[in-house]
Amino acid sequence: MTAGAGGTGAGRPGTSAASAASAISGTGYASCHHGEILQGVFLDARGRRCAALVTLPLTGLGTRADAVLRPGTQRHSVDPPDRTKALRAATLTLRECRARRPQVALGGLELRLSGDVPLGLGMGSSSSDVIAAVRAVADACGLRLPSRTVARIAVRAERASDPLMLDGRPLLFAQREGRVLEVLGEALPPAVVVGCALGAGRPVDTLSLPAPACGDDEVRAYERLRSLLRRAVAEGDTRLLGHVSTESARRAQQVLRQPEFDRLTRVAERTGAVGVQIAHSGSVAGLLFDPAATDLKARLRRCAAALGHEGILVTRTFTTRPSAEHPTPLTPPTHLTPLTSFTSSEESRHGRAHRRRDRTARPDTPGRRAHLSAL
């Protein structure tokens, strides 16, 4: 928490020297994801049907939020001005902080967002904005909110949220309720992912998609995939992980109907991938490879070339375990310049009150334009 950080507010119309001096600031950061491993309708502990998902974490891309609180004013603003969900989350966070720490003055709020998460590809851009904003305001108030509180605020701000406020473990997360249905384990099985974008990387209007079917047969099928994913995580079984993600992606085609999906799976079969994964509400996708496979680099290159031949944009390669011993970077052929190596781990940029990752996930835990740099 910084008083009068950098003289913020000085010289602005309607801003007094006294309010500038009393301004406090905070920062927050949230990463994004690369679509889902599994998404559907599941049963919670009470046997109630619940929409939920398991995301594929992607470190390195994300949103940084800078919040300035001005007790002497009443104006709330966000830059860029179209990030209304993030501003809503920031104001909700300010009220939450005030309830926890009554000495926090309710006043004006200035929120600034910057980042590199593409819009509309299903990578959690709005959730990244929202969670970074929550962390920035909490940081300005000298608080580190529990992850379940961040999830509750995020769902109120955007109706459904990705579990980016949690610690990257494989979680079955009810995105419309902000609670964890199941912690599947400590880490996804090791895999190298060749990322790509379907539909030429065009954004997807998720609100225009029809609601997926959720009859008894569908719920049983998703519960079976949930059980298989639990086993894949427990045994570190990369092939089983690929099977689950592929079957989930196939079921999603009843709604998404992505014209390149069959070509994507054919490339996976020809190049020895263990499966494919997609964003169930976007166009980002990936082919999963076992890092222990023989001739892995050659397989990855063949995969990138085959995708390019099919007209599918290759974006980046990364691993499900960025700090593991198999961060296989690629040196792409010259005609495949869109392909980039991606093996970095997330920086700790959650602000002074957020230096460590949240690890409070338990079974009872209750858009913008950007460049896709690799394209």
Side-chain angles (χ1 to χ4, degrees):
M1 182 164 52
T2 305
T8 304
R12 296 188 181 182
T15 303
S16 66
S19 64
S22 61
I24 55 176
S25 65
T27 62
Y29 180 82
S31 61
C32 67
H33 62 79
H34 198 267
E36 284 73 39
I37 292 292
L38 175 62
Q39 181 169 343
V41 179
F42 305 86
L43 300 177
D44 66 8
R46 298 181 180 179
R48 184 174 62 93
R49 291 181 182 179
C50 190
L53 49 79
V54 180
T55 58
L56 176 59
L58 176 64
T59 58
L61 299 182
T63 301
R64 175 192 167 99
D66 294 280
V68 179
L69 309 183
R70 300 188 180 282
T73 68
Q74 296 299 319
R75 180 175 176 270
H76 295 343
S77 65
V78 62
D79 182 25
D82 62 339
R83 314 292 173 84
T84 55
K85 293 178 181 179
L87 182 59
R88 188 180 309 133
T91 57
L92 291 170
T93 305
L94 191 56
R95 295 174 194 168
E96 179 73 28
C97 293
R98 180 69 172 80
R100 292 169 178 261
R101 184 169 288 182
Q103 65 269 32
V104 173
L106 291 177
L109 167 65
E110 295 175 6
L111 181 66
R112 181 176 180 82
L113 301 172
S114 59
D116 47 14
V117 185
L119 170 70
L121 299 190
M123 298 175 69
S125 59
S126 62
S127 291
S128 182
D129 284 353
V130 163
I131 295 164
V134 170
R135 285 172 166 165
V137 173
D139 187 50
C141 296
L143 293 173
R144 182 173 179 267
L145 297 177
S147 58
R148 74 180 78 181
T149 303
V150 178
R152 171 171 53 81
I153 294 172
V155 169
R156 285 189 62 190
E158 56 172 343
R159 294 195 297 177
S161 175
D162 295 308
L164 305 177
M165 74 292 295
L166 299 169
D167 58 8
R169 287 180 296 173
L171 309 166
L172 185 62
F173 184 77
Q175 68 269 27
R176 294 190 180 97
E177 302 176 29
R179 64 189 178 104
V180 175
L181 300 187
E182 181 180 356
V183 180
L184 297 167
E186 285 301 310
L188 288 172
V192 177
V193 184
V194 176
C196 57
L198 307 180
R202 289 185 295 271
V204 174
D205 181 5
T206 57
L207 296 179
S208 68
L209 296 175
C214 57
D216 291 342
D217 290 342
E218 285 76 16
V219 173
R220 280 193 290 269
Y222 283 120
E223 282 294 328
R224 178 177 177 275
L225 291 177
R226 174 186 184 175
S227 177
L228 291 176
L229 182 56
R230 186 188 303 123
R231 194 178 99 199
V233 171
E235 298 175 0
D237 191 329
T238 304
R239 288 194 170 276
L240 189 53
L241 172 71
H243 170 75
V244 171
S245 64
T246 301
E247 289 305 306
S248 181
R250 287 189 192 281
R251 300 190 70 84
Q253 295 311 303
Q254 299 173 21
V255 173
L256 293 177
R257 295 184 172 87
Q258 293 161 318
E260 305 101 327
F261 183 74
D262 288 341
R263 283 181 275 157
L264 188 74
T265 55
R266 285 198 297 268
V267 170
E269 292 169 0
R270 292 201 309 266
T271 58
V274 298
V276 301
Q277 62 86 212
I278 62 168
H280 286 59
S281 58
S283 56
V284 73
L287 289 82
L288 281 62
F289 288 83
D290 187 342
T294 57
D295 300 325
L296 176 62
K297 289 185 179 181
R299 292 181 189 226
L300 299 180
R301 287 192 172 83
R302 286 198 301 271
C303 175
L307 289 172
H309 180 74
E310 295 288 348
I312 298 174
L313 296 171
V314 181
T315 56
R316 56 179 48 80
T317 60
F318 63 98
T319 73
T320 57
R321 297 181 180 180
S323 59
E325 57 188 45
H326 297 289
T328 309
L330 296 184
T331 304
T334 55
H335 67 289
L336 292 175
T337 52
L339 185 62
T340 60
S341 172
F342 194 90
T343 57
S344 61
S345 59
E346 180 183 353
E347 297 178 39
S348 179
R349 291 175 285 185
H350 296 174
R352 287 165 292 279
H354 302 275
R355 293 303 184 191
R356 293 177 298 169
R357 293 186 175 188
D358 294 323
R359 294 189 64 86
T360 58
R362 294 175 295 187
D364 60 345
T365 301
R368 71 171 181 277
R369 289 197 180 279
H371 296 291
L372 185 57
S373 59
L375 296 185

